[in-house]
Amino acid sequence: MTFDRRTSKGGNPMGKRHIVAASLLALATAAAPGTAWAQARTLSQPSMPLAQALQRIAAEWGAPLNIDPDAVKGMTAKPVVNASSEREAVAQATRGLPVAVQVADDGLISILNDVIVVARPNEAETSVLVRGPTSSSRLGQSLRDQPRNTQVISAKLLEKQQAVNLTEALANAGGVVVNTATVQGGVSFSVRGFDSNGAVNGLPSASSSSFAAGTTLPLANIERIEVLKGPDAILLGGDNLGGTINIVTKKPNAEERLYVTGETGSFGLVRGVLDANRALTEDHRLSARVIASAATADRNFGGYRGNEDYLFAPSIRYKNSVTDVIFSATLGNQLFGVVPYTVMNTATKMPFDVAFNRPLIGGKDQGVQIQTTQFNAEVSQKVTDWLSVVVRGQHQIVDFSLKQYSPFAVLNPQGQILVSTGGARQRANTDVLDSFARVSFSTGAITHKIVGGMTIVDSDVDKVFANDGRMLPYNIFNPTGTLPPLARNFNSSSVQDSKLYGYYGQYLIGLGPIHLMAAVRNNRRELSSKVTGRPASFTKNNATTPSYGAVVDITDKLSVFGSLAYGFQPTTALDRFGARLPDIRTRNAETGVKWDLFDKRVLLNASWFSIRQSNLLDRDPAAAQFQIALPGQLGQGIDINVTGNPLRGLTVTAAFTRTNYSYLQPTRSLGNTVNGQPRDVYNLYAAYERKVADDVKLRIGAGVSGRSSSAIDRLNVYRIPGSAQALLNGSASIGAFDVTIGVRNLFDAKAYNPTRAINYIPLVEPRTWRLTVGYRFF
């Protein structure tokens, strides 16, 4: 019989550790038969090595114990006080320790290495500092041990900041520039100067499949955001030359939780979130979670339709010491008003000063809608002490529709622009399967980890364009006549079918403080496309990309690392002569330090990097419908981020990236300025929390995020000035209630986001406020 002590129904597993609690032994003692001699004796003994303590208990009562040496090795027993039986003494000595205590029918007590493991809340939901393995690390390495500068933005940090969308969340990411200069909605971004696609739970998302919309997952279901630097960071294959963003969704755990929040704020914002979680079985191995959110607003700050966001995300999980199985679904419907924007005055080389509270062109009801249906499954199985197998699968359908007047070109300095009335509808259907095996063993003093696996991605993207759209001139200051209606007929289509087969291997070897890693991936991609009125095309490519890394522990708190990684982005475009343009390759070198500060409560990552691109694609000046290959770009810089709790109650997170960009071979048409990329990107946030009475905590937080100026065009004729926005919020936790009020863009600074087109310069949101109230039912 195995005794398993847990808290009463609704409570947490004891001590939040992996245990089979033996304390029920003490409760069983009174009812257990025993000799009068045993009942007349009591035993007390201090804390000592567990093996020694158990031997003394056996000698005291003269009854043998069946002890697994591996189970008790290196453990220290708890003190025993006035134990009146062998069972009670064993229960006291092992309480809280990760061992299993079994009592046979004949009364023989066994202490075994049989730990019952139940799912816990991930550290990203309870702490700003995240140290555990990333979901993209097939080797199972912690952030501290990876040979790259990786940053994690935790759900706990986003909660403190009252962030409600990915743009606000990624303001914490070093080296990341969010692209809001798009009429297509979602969030797209660049990492270290290179456009990047998103991933969900370590697998490609629809935005990785030539899909118009960027990553759109609501924050309510995000456990953490992993900012992975370097082209091999996510092991996705093509694209992601400078790095990527991996979004990890929340998982069920054994804690019982029901938390409801309501929020209101500027522009009629109303938002509600429900997070319900509990174990479904008495042994806490099976658990389930449901997250639901709904948000709406009267309008956005530009006077367009208010953003709406609806989410339903159920999940179920089974976990023990060797098996972890998770099934989850994400059903979302998001509507975005047009990102408010202005255009460039080509005479003054400054953006036109436009009103923030009304649409620039047309009426209020303009924007995009993105509907997401996603199913995920992940199975992790420890087969033996040295072999683990992981299988992940994802099915995702994303529907996208665009309805708005889109600025196409600036015609003159008097505010005359060319406007498109067209629209688009798209559907992406993506299936992903990723599986790998991990082997761990030692030969003498040398440790080894070997990973081998494969990824299959099958993606179909159907695009339907309006065939009754038109272009027309429009003056944003003196509109005349009536705007024609937006397009209604959608007949022109483009169908793209992409299949990716990736085979990868990794080898990590360690000898004392030295850890060396080598990895290689072979990607085979097949791409077919058909556009109405054009002949079908089919392309295949095959590339192998190696990477290398090293981590050397100088002390137990300081390590240095270096890496060399190669990236590959296949191209399918043809030049005007019918020849396929060359593929794009990169080489990323990085070296830096990882330093644990303040008794390991703070982690500092600092690195220098150099990323070189072989070539880039540009519009052919002789035939605008075609592209040509030009020399690539070079980015070199420093990347620093700090996260943790340096003092009790104080939380700090900061990041700074400075990158110097240049083209390998400047040309008259290309220029020598990498556009849309600020040299400096930075952020700092600090919060202080203090307990002022029983069940009462107060917290105040403040932060700033910003970037330097950036060029709009490669010739550096037009520029966007730098900007900085401040955040201030305060909260109180009183019993089960949490109340937070905050202000963003505290000083109401008028600013613009980076862009690569003078006809679409996105505005930064003015000062806004939010009030959030949460209640923990249990």
Side-chain angles (χ1 to χ4, degrees):
M1 173 178 185
T2 299
F3 289 90
D4 183 7
R5 191 194 78 175
R6 301 184 183 277
T7 59
S8 62
K9 184 176 180 181
N12 300 332
M14 184 189 68
K16 295 186 177 181
R17 300 175 182 172
H18 299 161
I19 64 168
V20 174
S23 60
L24 286 181
L25 289 168
L27 298 178
T29 301
T35 65
W37 176 83
Q39 292 174 347
R41 282 181 169 273
T42 61
L43 173 68
S44 296
Q45 64 186 30
S47 176
M48 65 183 69
L50 182 57
Q52 180 183 349
L54 293 173
Q55 290 169 1
R56 290 185 61 174
I57 292 171
E60 180 68 19
W61 272 276
L65 295 174
N66 180 21
I67 304 172
D68 181 353
D70 292 333
V72 301
K73 184 178 179 181
M75 292 191 183
T76 302
K78 303 297 183 180
V80 176
V81 180
N82 295 328
S84 58
S85 71
E86 185 181 49
R87 293 187 183 187
E88 183 183 354
V90 170
Q92 290 191 34
T94 60
R95 67 183 183 275
L97 299 179
V99 295
V101 179
Q102 296 181 352
V103 181
D105 292 339
D106 60 1
L108 176 65
I109 301 175
S110 299
I111 296 88
L112 306 175
N113 189 5
D114 181 23
V115 181
I116 290 181
V117 178
V118 297
R120 318 289 178 190
N122 187 272
E123 58 181 333
E125 295 190 57
T126 59
S127 173
V128 171
L129 177 59
V130 178
R131 291 183 174 274
T134 63
S135 65
S136 56
S137 173
R138 271 61 166 175
L139 287 166
Q141 295 170 287
S142 69
L143 296 176
R144 178 74 166 74
D145 297 328
Q146 295 181 21
R148 61 173 60 97
N149 191 331
T150 301
Q151 182 184 2
V152 174
I153 302 168
S154 70
K156 190 65 175 179
L157 175 62
L158 300 181
E159 175 189 317
K160 289 176 179 287
Q161 295 179 339
Q162 293 181 286
V164 298
N165 55 54
L166 278 173
T167 298
E168 294 175 354
L170 291 176
N172 297 288
V176 175
V177 176
V178 176
N179 175 28
T180 59
T182 173
V183 298
Q184 296 174 331
V187 175
S188 59
F189 41 79
S190 64
V191 182
R192 292 181 174 174
F194 293 88
D195 291 339
S196 179
N197 298 320
V200 178
N201 295 322
L203 301 175
S205 66
S207 62
S208 302
S209 310
S210 302
F211 192 63
T215 304
T216 62
L217 202 64
L219 292 191
N221 194 34
I222 292 179
E223 172 188 291
R224 64 186 187 273
I225 301 172
E226 300 171 353
V227 185
L228 304 161
K229 315 293 178 65
D232 77 323
I234 197 65
L235 288 176
L236 288 181
D239 305 327
N240 305 295
L241 301 178
T244 195
I245 307 297
N246 181 38
I247 295 173
V248 182
T249 56
K250 292 179 178 178
K251 306 174 186 66
N253 58 75
E255 279 196 356
E256 191 167 11
R257 170 186 171 89
L258 177 59
Y259 190 59
V260 176
T261 60
E263 189 169 67
T264 187
S266 300
F267 314 117
L269 169 67
V270 177
R271 179 173 180 255
V273 178
L274 179 145
D275 186 351
N277 182 93
R278 65 165 297 165
L280 300 181
T281 57
E282 291 186 3
D283 63 7
H284 286 56
R285 294 181 179 184
L286 185 66
S287 56
R289 189 170 191 173
V290 174
I291 296 174
S293 69
T296 186
D298 294 336
R299 62 181 178 89
N300 66 18
F301 71 91
Y304 297 98
R305 177 179 65 191
N307 295 348
E308 296 182 51
D309 188 336
Y310 304 98
L311 168 73
F312 179 66
S315 55
I316 191 167
R317 183 180 194 180
Y318 175 82
K319 182 176 175 60
N320 61 19
S321 60
V322 296
T323 303
D324 193 0
V325 181
I326 304 171
F327 294 100
S328 63
T330 301
L331 309 175
N333 185 14
Q334 296 174 291
L335 297 94
F336 303 91
V338 172
V339 176
Y341 66 96
T342 184
V343 300
M344 180 65 68
N345 185 330
T346 54
T348 64
K349 297 183 175 58
M350 292 292 293
F352 282 114
D353 189 9
V354 298
F356 272 44
N357 59 357
R358 64 175 184 267
L360 194 64
I361 305 171
K364 175 181 179 180
D365 188 23
Q366 298 181 60
V368 300
Q369 181 176 11
I370 301 174
Q371 295 172 291
T372 303
T373 301
Q374 179 176 300
F375 299 97
N376 281 80
E378 180 172 342
V379 179
S380 300
Q381 179 68 43
K382 184 178 179 181
V383 181
T384 68
D385 289 339
W386 52 270
L387 174 62
S388 298
V389 176
V390 177
V391 180
R392 301 169 178 168
Q394 178 176 281
H395 173 67
Q396 186 182 67
I397 300 175
V398 180
D399 289 293
F400 164 87
S401 62
L402 168 67
K403 177 185 177 183
Q404 73 174 79
Y405 295 98
S406 304
F408 191 78
V410 178
L411 300 178
N412 60 44
Q414 286 73 47
Q416 194 86 351
I417 63 175
L418 190 63
V419 174
S420 168
T421 66
R425 297 171 183 170
Q426 302 184 23
R427 165 170 279 204
N429 190 327
T430 305
D431 292 302
V432 184
L433 177 66
D434 179 73
S435 61
F436 63 91
R438 180 170 59 235
V439 176
S440 304
F441 62 95
S442 299
T443 54
I446 302 176
T447 60
H448 309 263
K449 278 190 178 181
I450 302 174
V451 168
M454 67 176 298
T455 305
I456 302 175
V457 183
D458 188 350
S459 177
D460 300 315
V461 180
D462 296 333
K463 307 176 184 180
V464 183
F465 303 99
N467 57 4
D468 61 342
R470 52 177 290 198
M471 296 281 191
L472 71 151
Y474 182 86
N475 192 291
I476 60 175
F477 297 113
N478 298 297
T480 58
T482 303
L483 278 170
L486 291 168
R488 294 188 178 92
N489 299 321
F490 294 83
N491 293 320
S492 301
S493 66
S494 168
V495 180
Q496 186 178 88
D497 184 7
S498 173
K499 291 183 173 61
L500 174 68
Y501 303 89
Y503 307 91
Y504 56 86
Q506 293 176 285
Y507 179 35
L508 176 67
I509 183 170
L511 176 60
I514 301 174
H515 308 274
L516 306 177
M517 186 196 74
V520 65
R521 177 165 181 144
N522 176 262
N523 300 301
R524 300 178 182 179
R525 185 175 182 181
E526 301 174 358
L527 180 66
S528 61
S529 61
K530 179 67 172 70
V531 180
T532 302
R534 297 183 186 178
S537 65
F538 179 79
T539 59
K540 296 177 67 175
N541 53 58
N542 189 329
T544 299
T545 52
S547 60
Y548 314 93
V551 177
V552 179
D553 297 325
I554 306 302
T555 69
D556 64 339
K557 297 180 180 179
L558 175 66
S559 63
V560 297
F561 69 91
S563 64
L564 179 64
Y566 294 86
F568 168 78
Q569 182 178 24
T571 60
T572 58
L574 304 177
D575 64 18
R576 67 177 187 270
F577 304 108
R580 190 169 71 89
L581 295 171
D583 297 326
I584 300 171
R585 297 178 180 271
T586 59
R587 183 187 66 190
N588 185 89
E590 183 172 15
T591 183
V593 300
K594 298 190 178 186
W595 196 1
D596 281 308
L597 303 170
F598 297 95
D599 197 24
K600 296 188 177 182
R601 294 191 302 271
V602 175
L603 179 60
L604 165 69
N605 284 328
S607 64
W608 173 89
F609 63 89
S610 174
I611 185 165
R612 181 187 180 95
Q613 177 190 33
S614 60
N615 56 278
L616 57 88
L617 305 184
D618 196 17
R619 188 177 64 178
D620 189 338
Q625 69 271 33
F626 294 100
Q627 291 182 307
I628 59 175
L630 296 172
Q633 71 182 49
L634 175 67
Q636 295 181 322
I638 58 173
D639 195 337
I640 304 170
N641 54 79
V642 180
T643 304
N645 306 96
L647 300 173
R648 184 177 181 180
L650 178 64
T651 297
V652 174
T653 177
F656 173 75
T657 305
R658 164 166 288 187
T659 310
N660 293 315
Y661 297 105
S662 64
Y663 290 111
L664 299 180
Q665 196 173 36
T667 65
R668 179 172 296 182
S669 63
L670 181 65
N672 194 33
T673 304
V674 176
N675 56 330
Q677 295 297 328
R679 183 187 67 170
D680 299 327
V681 179
Y682 58 89
N683 63 78
L684 170 64
Y685 180 79
Y688 180 71
E689 182 175 277
R690 184 177 178 86
K691 183 177 180 179
V692 296
D694 290 342
D695 291 334
V696 178
K697 293 181 181 178
L698 300 179
R699 182 182 59 81
I700 186 169
V704 61
S705 61
R707 56 192 166 270
S708 61
S709 64
S710 61
I712 296 177
D713 61 304
R714 293 170 176 164
L715 296 175
N716 201 19
V717 175
Y718 305 104
R719 295 189 66 85
I720 293 296
S723 66
Q725 284 82 46
L727 162 69
L728 179 65
N729 58 19
S731 68
S733 296
I734 305 171
F737 279 99
D738 298 317
V739 180
T740 305
I741 186 167
V743 180
R744 288 183 170 270
N745 198 353
L746 180 63
F747 302 107
D748 204 20
K750 188 170 185 178
Y752 311 95
N753 281 319
T755 182
R756 294 172 179 167
I758 63 173
N759 58 289
Y760 202 105
I761 302 174
L763 306 175
V764 171
E765 193 173 47
R767 181 168 53 225
T768 58
W769 65 273
R770 288 173 195 162
L771 172 65
T772 308
V773 179
Y775 183 78
R776 292 181 296 277
F777 288 87
F778 46 81

